[in-house]
Amino acid sequence: MANRTPLFDAHLAANGKIVDFAGWEMPINYGSQIKEHEAVRTDAGMFDVSHMTAVDVRGERATAFFQKLIANDVAKLGFEGKALYSGMLNEAGGVIDDLIVYRTSWGYRVVVNAGTTDKDLAWMGKLAAEFGVTLTPRRDLAMIAVQGPNAIAKAKAARPEAAELIDGLGVFVGLPQGEWFFARTGYTGEDGLEITMPAAEAIPFWNALIAAGVVPAGLGARDTLRLEAGMNLYGNEMDDGVSPLAAGMAWTIAWEPADRDFVGRSVVEAERAERAAGSTTRLKQVGLVYEGKGVLRGHMRVATAAGDGEITSGTFSPTLQVSIAMARVPLAVKVGDAVEVDVRGTLQPARVVKMPFVRNGKKVYE
């Protein structure tokens, strides 16, 4: 039987079209994916992200635990509330999951993806025992992402008692207020908040957001928005068999100090050396823009002068009115190069661009 979030009844009340997503009954849209996408780009939209799991981590060696567990370094979190994005790697250098870690008054809070929660907790649990830390999955909580140029103002209108706290949040900072947690993070390329609350308070807050003029948005709009923003989706751009270097995540790896031996380091470090030496077999992540007929989709072959690659995610961009994609291609491929994509058996021209495609509602790709 599929799981349901605390907001399931609210989705039905808003005429959400329910689909299965990673074992959860979630809304794909509420009638118009395009309108939901546009609401986030121009005003404010909200997503139920309660299927993701917040995990609180406590213990004297919690910092050392994370320094071993993830490729980024929590020592960079210089104050309570600061957050970072990282891959959690396996011993072969593949990405078990991508996640956000917040420094908190009790230790750390990490948010993991819905489809990987069970394997993440199992993996983390093995290392937690070694470091003597405790992991507490907060399944008693719900999470709503409010995103868009007017998202923060409308979230404050819906939760006025948190207005002062929200006003003080920098980008990629999250702080608690009682059992609520307000983070200035997101997955859309727009400003906004990801707000965690007790499950029983989720529907009243959802309704308050609607009253403040925030538009409910489903998984469909979430995908087109994140793709325009050049943000990875687990299972598409990365998985247990894909390294962070091939998934465009090199910027999330903290190589210093050199003696920090995070899981998978030796393998990824050797791969980095291969790439620096001009490997002809390694792949990298790029953006593609295609202005022809048809839409770029995942798994389409990308033909380049240096060899074949593959699209990992593709869609028609509602903001740009062209088809865009993220792809893995040979290292020799450069921004501006012309490539060809196998669209229904015919090679069609596309152009390699630097991502993101859209940021804060505007075209930014080169």
Side-chain angles (χ1 to χ4, degrees):
M1 182 177 177
N3 297 300
R4 293 177 175 177
T5 77
L7 286 157
F8 182 79
D9 289 342
H11 302 319
L12 296 183
N15 297 314
K17 181 182 178 181
I18 305 299
V19 300
D20 177 80
F21 178 77
W24 291 82
E25 292 187 84
M26 299 293 294
I28 188 74
N29 61 59
Y30 299 87
S32 173
Q33 177 178 326
I34 297 298
K35 288 181 180 178
E36 294 160 25
H37 179 109
E38 291 173 349
V40 174
R41 286 281 179 248
T42 62
D43 187 7
M46 61 181 173
F47 307 85
D48 177 9
V49 290
S50 308
H51 55 315
M52 301 178 73
T53 304
V55 182
D56 290 343
V57 181
R58 292 176 169 85
E60 290 184 4
R61 301 185 67 200
T63 297
F65 164 75
F66 274 109
Q67 288 181 310
K68 179 73 173 182
L69 181 75
I70 64 175
N72 213 334
D73 188 0
V74 294
K76 296 190 293 186
L77 301 180
F79 56 89
E80 181 183 340
K82 190 70 180 103
L84 57 72
Y85 171 75
S86 180
M88 178 169 66
L89 311 184
N90 58 32
E91 288 155 349
V95 182
I96 294 173
D97 196 10
D98 66 324
L99 40 80
I100 294 178
V101 182
Y102 301 89
R103 178 177 164 184
T104 67
S105 60
W106 62 81
Y108 297 92
R109 170 167 288 180
V110 57
V111 179
V112 302
N113 284 307
T116 58
T117 295
D118 289 343
K119 73 167 183 173
D120 287 2
L121 290 174
W123 181 263
M124 294 167 66
K126 293 177 183 178
L127 204 59
E130 179 182 333
F131 283 83
V133 301
T134 60
L135 308 177
T136 307
R138 297 299 306 274
R139 302 189 192 276
D140 56 320
L141 301 176
M143 190 184 309
I144 299 172
V146 189
Q147 303 280 293
N150 297 323
I152 289 179
K154 292 188 174 185
K156 291 192 296 180
R159 186 74 178 176
E161 58 266 53
E164 185 176 351
L165 183 148
I166 291 170
D167 281 337
L169 291 177
V171 175
F172 243 68
V173 173
L175 289 170
Q177 185 181 69
E179 283 296 301
W180 290 57
F181 192 86
F182 297 84
R184 196 168 167 193
T185 52
Y187 192 50
T188 63
E190 298 293 332
D191 202 359
L193 300 164
E194 292 178 311
I195 304 170
T196 307
M197 71 226 64
E201 299 181 60
I203 287 182
F205 182 53
W206 181 270
N207 291 335
L209 288 166
I210 291 175
V214 182
V215 175
L219 294 170
R222 193 164 185 250
D223 193 52
T224 52
L225 288 159
R226 71 92 191 169
L227 215 165
E228 287 186 346
M231 295 180 174
N232 287 357
L233 174 65
Y234 193 86
N236 287 40
E237 279 65 53
M238 59 200 157
D239 58 36
D240 297 81
V242 176
S243 85
L245 301 182
M249 296 170 64
W251 63 276
T252 70
I253 301 174
W255 297 106
E256 299 296 332
D259 61 350
R260 184 177 70 91
D261 186 25
F262 59 84
V263 176
R265 175 169 186 145
S266 61
V267 177
V268 179
E269 207 160 32
E271 180 185 343
R272 182 175 66 154
E274 280 184 39
R275 289 169 177 270
S279 169
T280 59
T281 59
R282 295 291 184 178
L283 303 177
K284 66 179 181 180
Q285 185 182 79
V286 299
L288 298 180
V289 172
Y290 168 64
E291 297 178 352
K293 293 181 179 179
V295 178
L296 301 183
R297 299 293 186 192
H299 304 298
M300 286 182 173
R301 180 171 67 91
V302 181
T304 83
D308 284 355
E310 184 180 47
I311 289 177
T312 54
S313 293
T315 193
F316 183 80
S317 164
T319 303
L320 302 171
Q321 291 294 295
V322 296
S323 189
I324 60 173
M326 300 168 74
R328 279 196 290 273
V329 298
L331 288 180
V333 176
K334 300 291 190 295
V335 170
D337 282 358
V339 298
E340 293 181 306
V341 180
D342 187 342
V343 181
R344 295 189 301 275
T346 303
L347 289 177
Q348 298 289 338
R351 182 164 61 91
V352 178
V353 301
K354 181 180 179 181
M355 295 186 290
F357 303 96
V358 176
R359 186 72 74 193
N360 298 126
K362 300 186 183 302
K363 169 187 170 183
V364 293
Y365 68 79
E366 299 175 6

